[in-house]
Amino acid sequence: MNEQLLSLTHTGEEPEKYLHSVTPPVFLNSLHVYDRFEDYASIDPLREGEYIYGRASNPTVHILERKIAELEHGSRAAVFSSGMAACTSAIMAVCKAGSHVICMRDVYQPVTRFLENFCIPKLNMAVTYVSGNDLGEVEDAMKKGASLMILESPATFVFCVVDLKAIADLAHKYGVRTYIDNTCMTPIFQNPLDLGIDIVMHTMSKYIGGHSDLIGGVLVSKDDELMKQIIQEMREWYGGILGPMEGWLAIRGLRTLHARLMQHQSTAMEVAEFLEKNDKVRKIYYTGLKSNPQREIIEKQQRGHTSLMSFVLDASVEQSINFINNLKFFGKGCSWGGFESLALMPLYKSSQEELDFRNVDRQLIRIYCGLEGAENLLEDLEQAFNRL
């Protein structure tokens, strides 16, 4: 039995509650009213099927949360109005003024900006940056005392992978909570909670939404008390709950998540192998290639591969820009996870200091392989290389 497919399509649906509708309704109401005050006063939004006010909980949103919690093998999930709302809520739930945070250098850039521009100057936090691949470096940072370690695997830009179980074991030894952005893998390809990670986050505008028409984020954990704190304090106080329409769109996205990921992965494998053989490509970063130096750890904790990859051309920055501009089927834009292929140079505007910090090239090109078909994307890349 494939329990993932059942979770994607049936968990939380309960059509008998909604006139046997094949899809659940969108509850656009802001509040719920009761016949008796005693009934209202006894309601606890943290209990299954109990609702008072839309900032605390919503029936449509709750169906989505049940599905994602089951997919990630967590006790509870909490959805937010954006991935950054989820990320910052996790940090604020675990940390306090003066906390020490350990953070991978290659995490999503707005996360490091939040640490540098808010947590450090406003809350007097300390941040230690690590590669994540050197367990000795990670343990040395944990020995100094820390509240949280922020992870991403595969990580932004060059898609390096870290040993999640080994890091989780160290974190448990030193009493450090661990948080990971699992957006790139989705629960279909990776389940960090099963490897000992404490909190998993997804940006739902990517693969979970799948159609480039919603913004949202989600946190999942096996720690039910931590999740209750995140829901009651961080989300309700900050007001960052996902809207019911976005929740419904995310439910729709989950129905086809497995099928889309299989197609994305198949296309990306063909594209990555094509790029690897091209003598105009100096370096390629993709977890699915057999030549990947981290192949052993990738196969140990991943069940599949994203359709994101990066590469560096044997060319100047200007030539690399021209290469991107010559692509016809790759839109020039940020984000990813929808039906449309994308290409950009994400570090083009970065300072030399940041490039050195991340140990990456300014002309690094990141592409996302959408659903246009491998044949079309390969032809497009071929003609762009011919014009390079």
Side-chain angles (χ1 to χ4, degrees):
M1 181 183 294
N2 190 325
E3 294 183 357
Q4 283 187 330
L5 293 180
L6 292 176
S7 298
L8 292 168
T9 54
H10 293 297
T11 292
E13 299 283 322
E14 301 178 295
E16 65 278 4
K17 286 186 177 180
Y18 312 118
L19 303 178
H20 299 278
S21 172
V22 70
T23 58
V26 186
F27 283 85
L28 292 172
N29 51 301
S30 61
L31 77 159
H32 301 255
V33 296
Y34 298 86
D35 292 334
R36 300 172 66 250
F37 173 75
E38 292 87 345
D39 295 335
Y40 164 81
S42 67
I43 294 297
D44 180 357
L46 288 174
R47 286 199 297 257
E48 184 80 19
E50 298 191 11
Y51 308 97
I52 293 178
Y53 186 55
R55 179 161 49 83
S57 58
N58 173 276
T60 308
V61 167
H62 184 61
I63 294 171
L64 173 63
E65 291 175 331
R66 286 183 61 186
K67 287 179 179 291
I68 297 177
E70 192 168 288
L71 285 165
E72 277 291 11
H73 307 157
S75 68
R76 196 183 291 255
V79 294
F80 292 78
S81 55
S82 70
M84 277 306 294
C87 171
T88 54
S89 293
I91 294 172
M92 299 303 287
V94 174
C95 300
K96 59 184 179 181
S99 286
H100 175 208
V101 175
I102 304 168
C103 183
M104 279 179 56
R105 292 188 184 91
D106 291 336
V107 299
Y108 183 49
Q109 285 176 304
V111 177
T112 58
R113 290 175 189 147
F114 175 71
L115 294 173
E116 294 291 327
N117 298 322
F118 183 82
C119 294
I120 293 175
K122 304 283 188 182
L123 297 175
N124 197 33
M125 290 187 188
V127 179
T128 298
Y129 292 101
V130 298
S131 68
N133 298 117
D134 184 341
L135 292 178
E137 180 187 35
V138 171
E139 185 167 18
D140 286 343
M142 289 183 178
K143 284 179 180 177
K144 299 174 183 176
S147 299
L148 180 69
M149 181 169 185
I150 299 174
L151 301 159
E152 196 171 319
S153 181
T156 302
F157 303 133
V158 297
F159 307 104
C160 65
V161 173
V162 298
D163 191 331
L164 297 180
K165 186 177 186 309
I167 289 176
D169 288 345
L170 282 174
H172 294 157
K173 177 181 176 181
Y174 292 101
V176 180
R177 296 267 196 181
T178 47
Y179 158 103
I180 187 170
D181 183 337
N182 197 35
T183 305
C184 193
M185 285 290 97
T186 81
I188 304 300
F189 287 158
Q190 183 170 265
N191 293 112
L193 297 182
D194 292 346
L195 299 172
I197 300 300
D198 295 304
I199 306 170
V200 166
M201 191 279 287
H202 293 275
T203 298
M204 294 193 297
S205 56
K206 309 300 191 289
Y207 284 133
I208 288 178
H211 296 77
S212 298
D213 55 8
L214 72 93
I215 299 293
V218 60
L219 297 177
V220 194
S221 178
K222 290 181 183 290
D223 187 334
D224 200 53
E225 290 306 310
L226 174 62
M227 288 308 303
K228 288 179 180 178
Q229 177 193 352
I230 287 172
I231 293 169
Q232 280 189 318
E233 298 178 8
M234 299 304 109
R235 190 175 72 179
E236 190 172 349
W237 291 351
Y238 295 166
I241 193 172
L242 188 74
M245 190 66 228
E246 289 79 7
W248 188 89
L249 289 171
I251 292 171
R252 179 201 62 180
L254 284 177
R255 298 187 194 284
T256 61
L257 177 62
H258 188 276
R260 286 185 287 107
L261 282 179
M262 295 304 114
Q263 185 59 55
H264 283 302
Q265 176 182 237
S266 175
T267 298
M269 287 295 297
E270 290 192 52
V271 169
E273 289 170 355
F274 166 80
L275 292 172
E276 186 177 39
K277 295 173 184 176
N278 195 299
D279 58 9
K280 295 177 182 177
V281 176
R282 176 152 50 91
K283 194 163 187 178
I284 180 169
Y285 305 94
Y286 184 62
T287 60
L289 289 172
K290 294 180 180 179
S291 60
N292 193 302
Q294 294 188 297
R295 185 169 179 79
E296 183 178 349
I297 183 62
I298 290 170
E299 292 180 347
K300 186 170 73 171
Q301 62 191 31
Q302 292 180 202
R303 295 184 296 273
H305 307 281
T306 177
S307 59
L308 282 164
M309 66 192 73
S310 294
F311 57 95
V312 179
L313 298 175
D314 190 11
S316 66
V317 172
E318 290 73 21
Q319 289 172 316
S320 299
I321 292 173
N322 288 335
F323 175 84
I324 293 175
N325 286 337
N326 287 329
L327 292 170
K328 299 176 181 178
F329 299 141
F330 291 81
K332 288 68 177 176
C334 63
S335 195
W336 48 270
F339 58 88
E340 72 291 357
S341 293
L342 298 166
L344 80 165
M345 286 171 54
L347 298 163
Y348 175 67
K349 293 183 178 180
S350 298
S351 66
Q352 189 59 48
E353 181 182 16
E354 183 172 1
L355 294 173
D356 293 341
F357 174 74
R358 295 179 180 274
N359 193 28
V360 288
D361 298 282
R362 186 180 304 279
Q363 62 262 48
L364 180 89
I365 296 172
R366 188 188 76 184
I367 61 171
Y368 165 72
C369 301
L371 297 174
E372 296 89 348
E375 182 180 359
N376 291 325
L377 298 187
L378 291 173
E379 287 180 4
D380 194 16
L381 288 163
E382 182 69 47
Q383 64 84 23
F385 275 118
N386 291 336
R387 298 176 66 182
L388 183 63

